[in-house]
Amino acid sequence: MIDRDRCLALDAADPLRAFREEFVLPEGVIYLVGNSLGALPRRAADRVRRAVEQEWGGQLVGGWNQAGWYDQPLALGDRIAPLIGAGPGEVVVGNSTSIAIYQAVAAALRLRPDRRVIVSDARNFPTDHYVVQGLAGLLGGYEIRDAAEGRFDDAAVVLLSEVDYRTGARADVPAVTARAHEAGALMVWDLCHSVGAMPVDVSAADFAVGCTYKYLNAGPGAPAFLYVSPRHHATAENVLQGWHGHAAPFAFETGYRPAEGIRRFAVGTPHVLSSAALDAALEIWERVPMDLLRAKSMALTSLFVDLVGDLLELVSPADAEARGSQVSLRHPDGYPVMRALIDRGVHGDFRAPDILRFGFAPLYIRYVDVHDAAATLREVLDKELWRDERYAQRLAVT
Amino acid sequence: MIDRDRCLALDAADPLRAFREEFVLPEGVIYLVGNSLGALPRRAADRVRRAVEQEWGGQLVGGWNQAGWYDQPLALGDRIAPLIGAGPGEVVVGNSTSIAIYQAVAAALRLRPDRRVIVSDARNFPTDHYVVQGLAGLLGGYEIRDAAEGRFDDAAVVLLSEVDYRTGARADVPAVTARAHEAGALMVWDLCHSVGAMPVDVSAADFAVGCTYKYLNAGPGAPAFLYVSPRHHATAENVLQGWHGHAAPFAFETGYRPAEGIRRFAVGTPHVLSSAALDAALEIWERVPMDLLRAKSMALTSLFVDLVGDLLELVSPADAEARGSQVSLRHPDGYPVMRALIDRGVHGDFRAPDILRFGFAPLYIRYVDVHDAAATLREVLDKELWRDERYAQRLAVT
């Protein structure tokens, strides 16, 4: 078994080790929840302060021009594009993932008016499935087919996640996209749990959505992004027709004329303060070699599996290539076990009914953190420390 | 004519004068664009810094419980409620006005399935009308009738603004709401240009939406709010079914079950940093006597009309009671006139084709500001200073 000194040596040789200094990480905490909310980049704190004090406070409404607020949704999209295999003018930032999914699936349905089947994964992150249910309910006449059935025939659109939020299982994006296209369906990928965790390439797909507050580290409630393949730019419709998607939003015309290109998928006034944090977070990503990131991610998750695989059932795929940057383990009393871990400085999270999730953000998690987290988990289980009644009490957000 | 000394005396006697100290106002600027983007409250800068550094940076994902992020959309809604005549549990904060309009109008259409007419004002702020056009296009079979026709018969829903963004004209909310109800329609009010500018009461209406970045001073791209009358809470549907509107979002169920009450109108992950600024801005509103606010607002707009009414055609109603907190004037070369004013420290804005807009936020605009702005406008027009060719060049955002 790999020991602590060996982990320290791996950290010393880690080509990504300098990135950890970019982040604020509380003392005494091993933060394995970067797959839920990424840590604060130091430069994001400075950037948000500048957006508030200099832009809002100093330029006031002039910030639309001077600080570039108006162009932010596209400018930020262009900087996310390389992380998902997209090009400039193909990604727009704004709103939330739920809303981006609504836009993508609705646009896909409009592009396939002769079809009445939506394929969605009932085990997918719930908001994806809920959004589809809401849209199908509004439109009427659609069948929602569970992706577990494995049939794409007659589907208008297939909506899947590249990495499963619960298990960490990674889909084969090129193969599934090709299968959807062979069936005549359009493909929408949810990248929430893959973007920033590994190289992503959705250039063959039709639409993709993702959030920026997990591995991308843009802060709580940071805006989402929406990718639309350029082959659909002339024909895809944004059913959420807000003024920022208009060809001339400041002409205040009475009729909606969609903007050219990806801008038509903008909706309302952009969330400038949240976007400022994203702006800073993306400066870091411009310097990250994604192949090294993936290599470290696989090494971290493999190390954790090696260290604790004998303790609990592994829910994630055993093959690192088939995983995202997380490890999920099963325990019937997963909730108090996680509370006991957090009480000892090891922060993961719990997903009902029995999943312990540990996310390994390669930019700031070290090999020694994995070692120490595994040792703490072993102690909590060996000594049954989780049986303390304090840990049974549920918090509002688990 | 009222002179500058008299304005200084009015300021000294103004019962709201202390509120100006709450705001950051750049030196040498008379900021008459608070109806577009409110000024920065000093406490908002502090509050956002705390959200970034202490909540995100220090609590990380624990902020959902410790900092109350999860409850923010409802907690903030409860604090907006008194400003619009609503009660606790009737207002939810999030997303943008465009999206809130989509939710409100779609919910109204679902509550009136036997009707196929949407009444909307073609002169309304464009995003309202665009959103309706997009929704009608998605659903098919709906007629959009211009409110200028004055007929509500057979309408499923009537969507209007309390204060017109262009002219500043104020609608008679109780009378129009009653007329809509007599016709069997549901009433949706857009409060963007009235909330924070005057006492508002939409308690008789069915839905209302508004933004928080204008008179409420919550910052660029701050989240919008949505009011739903409690008589519709059990039956109104949110067609944007995101996980934060679910009865048990952290149970990760596969089927959507709407939450009880107003929470069902939440959608995705709330924009926490933008919400922090709103949190601080609302602390100020808790101390504002709305009758005094309205009295000062009417005095300010009336003073401006008195001082410049001979110079340009008044687009706003001549009767202060019939206006919001803005004055709109017409000039065929409105764009360079406004640029010339801004160059001299008087900030208003321009709305195509020929409207000069001046907003008077009563919390931080003084009588002497109105006097000086009017004097500058007179000079710009008398000396034709706006003919300088620098002022003809259009900026991206006007």
Side-chain angles (χ1 to χ4, degrees):
Chain A
M1 198 66 94
I2 191 166
D3 68 9
R4 197 168 196 278
D5 284 344
R6 173 74 188 131
C7 289
L8 290 170
L10 286 169
D11 286 323
D14 174 10
L16 303 178
R17 67 187 178 280
F19 285 107
R20 184 174 164 92
E21 296 308 310
E22 291 274 356
F23 295 91
V24 175
L25 293 162
E27 276 298 308
V29 169
I30 297 175
Y31 188 65
L32 304 180
V33 207
N35 54 327
S36 179
L37 176 68
L40 169 63
R42 293 180 196 285
R43 63 180 73 220
D46 296 338
R47 181 67 187 86
V48 173
R49 194 181 314 116
R50 181 153 62 87
V52 171
E53 297 177 13
Q54 293 178 33
E55 297 178 8
W56 176 14
Q59 301 169 3
L60 291 156
V61 77
W64 285 103
N65 289 306
Q66 294 164 50
W69 296 342
Y70 175 64
D71 288 320
Q72 232 172 25
L74 273 73
L76 293 170
D78 281 352
R79 291 164 64 201
I80 289 172
L83 299 174
I84 65 168
E90 297 176 8
V91 180
V92 63
V93 161
N95 308 302
S96 65
T97 308
S98 300
I99 285 165
I101 291 168
Y102 189 89
Q103 293 178 280
V105 174
L109 295 181
R110 302 278 285 182
L111 289 168
R112 287 286 181 275
D114 51 321
R115 295 192 167 202
R116 285 289 176 272
V117 175
I118 303 170
V119 174
S120 178
D121 186 349
R123 300 155 309 173
N124 205 341
F125 189 82
T127 214
D128 300 56
H129 211 52
Y130 299 160
V131 166
V132 165
Q133 290 167 14
L135 182 60
L138 179 68
L139 298 178
Y142 281 90
E143 172 199 340
I144 301 174
R145 185 191 296 159
D146 188 355
E149 291 185 28
R151 293 188 302 114
F152 293 173
D153 52 287
D154 298 326
V157 57
V158 176
L159 167 65
L160 292 171
S161 285
E162 180 168 17
V163 171
D164 184 292
Y165 82 103
R166 225 165 40 86
T167 66
R170 182 190 183 201
D172 184 338
V173 165
V176 175
T177 302
R179 272 225 301 135
H181 286 167
E182 279 158 25
L186 295 172
M187 186 74 222
V188 182
W189 284 106
D190 179 338
L191 307 175
C192 283
H193 288 83
S194 52
V195 64
M198 60 182 65
V200 171
D201 185 351
V202 290
S203 57
D206 301 285
F207 300 89
V209 305
C211 77
T212 63
Y213 54 74
K214 298 181 185 290
Y215 293 104
L216 294 187
N217 311 306
F225 63 84
L226 171 62
Y227 159 79
V228 181
S229 165
R231 65 181 174 275
H232 299 307
H233 283 192
T235 49
E237 293 173 54
N238 177 9
V239 302
L240 298 178
Q241 290 185 359
W243 67 310
H244 278 258
H246 193 279
F250 294 92
F252 298 93
E253 299 172 2
T254 57
Y256 186 76
R257 277 193 301 130
E260 293 291 311
I262 192 70
R263 185 180 276 285
R264 70 175 56 177
F265 283 89
V267 186
T269 305
H271 301 291
V272 170
L273 303 189
S274 295
S275 296
L278 175 58
D279 181 26
L282 289 173
E283 290 176 6
I284 298 173
W285 286 102
E286 283 156 16
R287 293 181 282 113
V288 178
M290 295 304 287
D291 53 339
L292 296 183
L293 183 91
R294 177 63 174 158
K296 181 176 175 188
S297 162
M298 291 195 295
L300 293 173
T301 59
S302 295
L303 174 60
F304 192 66
V305 170
D306 287 348
L307 292 172
V308 301
D310 62 312
L311 289 172
L312 291 172
E313 178 193 346
L314 179 65
V315 176
S316 300
D319 173 11
E321 287 282 4
R323 284 195 299 261
S325 203
Q326 76 180 65
V327 173
S328 298
L329 303 169
R330 180 167 283 128
H331 190 290
D333 292 292
Y335 188 79
V337 169
M338 185 51 74
R339 293 287 306 278
L341 279 172
I342 291 170
D343 211 23
R344 285 157 185 82
V346 177
H347 292 233
D349 67 10
F350 170 76
R351 286 295 173 256
D354 55 7
I355 305 278
L356 300 167
R357 286 200 317 177
F358 300 91
F360 300 87
L363 292 188
Y364 53 80
I365 297 300
R366 299 167 300 194
Y367 293 90
V368 71
D369 296 325
V370 177
H371 177 277
D372 292 351
T376 305
L377 176 57
R378 186 170 293 277
E379 186 189 14
V380 162
L381 294 175
D382 281 355
K383 298 186 182 166
E384 298 195 350
L385 300 172
W386 57 270
R387 292 194 184 272
D388 187 317
E389 64 186 16
R390 284 179 302 155
Y391 303 142
Q393 198 191 334
R394 293 286 173 124
L395 301 176
V397 178
T398 58
Chain B
M1 196 68 91
I2 191 165
D3 67 10
R4 197 168 195 278
D5 284 345
R6 174 74 187 131
C7 288
L8 290 169
L10 287 169
D11 286 323
D14 174 11
L16 303 179
R17 67 187 178 281
F19 284 107
R20 183 174 164 94
E21 296 307 311
E22 291 274 356
F23 296 91
V24 175
L25 292 162
E27 275 299 307
V29 169
I30 298 176
Y31 188 65
L32 305 181
V33 207
N35 54 328
S36 179
L37 176 68
L40 169 64
R42 293 179 197 284
R43 62 181 73 221
D46 296 339
R47 181 66 186 86
V48 173
R49 195 181 313 115
R50 181 153 61 88
V52 171
E53 297 177 12
Q54 293 178 34
E55 297 179 7
W56 176 14
Q59 300 169 4
L60 290 156
V61 76
W64 286 103
N65 289 306
Q66 293 165 51
W69 297 341
Y70 176 64
D71 288 320
Q72 231 170 26
L74 274 73
L76 293 170
D78 281 352
R79 291 164 64 202
I80 288 172
L83 299 173
I84 64 169
E90 297 175 7
V91 179
V92 63
V93 161
N95 308 303
S96 64
T97 309
S98 300
I99 286 167
I101 291 168
Y102 189 90
Q103 293 178 281
V105 174
L109 295 181
R110 302 279 284 181
L111 288 168
R112 288 287 181 274
D114 52 320
R115 295 194 168 201
R116 286 287 176 273
V117 175
I118 303 169
V119 174
S120 178
D121 186 350
R123 300 155 309 172
N124 205 340
F125 189 82
T127 215
D128 299 57
H129 211 51
Y130 299 160
V131 165
V132 165
Q133 290 167 14
L135 182 60
L138 179 68
L139 298 178
Y142 281 90
E143 173 200 340
I144 302 174
R145 185 191 296 159
D146 189 354
E149 290 185 29
R151 295 188 302 115
F152 293 173
D153 51 289
D154 298 327
V157 58
V158 176
L159 167 65
L160 292 171
S161 285
E162 181 168 18
V163 171
D164 185 293
Y165 82 103
R166 225 165 39 87
T167 66
R170 182 191 184 200
D172 184 338
V173 165
V176 175
T177 303
R179 272 226 302 136
H181 287 167
E182 279 158 26
L186 296 172
M187 186 73 222
V188 183
W189 284 106
D190 178 337
L191 308 175
C192 284
H193 289 83
S194 52
V195 64
M198 60 184 63
V200 171
D201 185 351
V202 290
S203 57
D206 302 284
F207 300 88
V209 305
C211 78
T212 64
Y213 55 74
K214 297 180 186 291
Y215 294 103
L216 295 186
N217 311 306
F225 64 84
L226 171 62
Y227 159 79
V228 181
S229 165
R231 65 181 175 276
H232 299 306
H233 283 192
T235 50
E237 294 174 52
N238 176 8
V239 302
L240 297 178
Q241 291 185 359
W243 67 311
H244 278 258
H246 193 279
F250 294 92
F252 298 92
E253 300 172 2
T254 57
Y256 186 76
R257 276 193 302 130
E260 294 290 311
I262 193 70
R263 186 181 275 285
R264 69 175 57 178
F265 282 90
V267 185
T269 305
H271 300 290
V272 170
L273 303 189
S274 294
S275 296
L278 176 57
D279 181 26
L282 288 173
E283 289 176 6
I284 298 172
W285 286 102
E286 282 155 16
R287 293 182 282 114
V288 177
M290 295 304 287
D291 53 340
L292 296 184
L293 183 91
R294 177 63 174 157
K296 181 176 174 188
S297 162
M298 290 194 295
L300 293 174
T301 59
S302 296
L303 174 60
F304 193 66
V305 170
D306 287 348
L307 292 172
V308 301
D310 62 314
L311 289 173
L312 291 173
E313 177 193 346
L314 180 65
V315 177
S316 301
D319 174 10
E321 287 282 3
R323 283 195 299 261
S325 202
Q326 76 181 64
V327 174
S328 299
L329 303 170
R330 180 167 284 130
H331 190 289
D333 292 292
Y335 188 79
V337 170
M338 184 52 73
R339 291 288 305 279
L341 280 171
I342 291 170
D343 211 23
R344 285 157 184 80
V346 177
H347 291 233
D349 66 12
F350 170 74
R351 287 293 174 258
D354 55 8
I355 305 279
L356 299 167
R357 287 200 316 177
F358 300 90
F360 300 87
L363 292 188
Y364 52 79
I365 297 300
R366 300 167 300 195
Y367 293 90
V368 73
D369 295 326
V370 177
H371 177 276
D372 293 351
T376 305
L377 176 58
R378 186 169 294 276
E379 187 189 14
V380 162
L381 293 176
D382 283 353
K383 299 187 182 166
E384 299 195 352
L385 300 172
W386 57 270
R387 292 194 186 271
D388 187 318
E389 64 187 15
R390 284 179 302 155
Y391 303 142
Q393 198 190 334
R394 294 286 173 124
L395 301 176
V397 178
T398 57

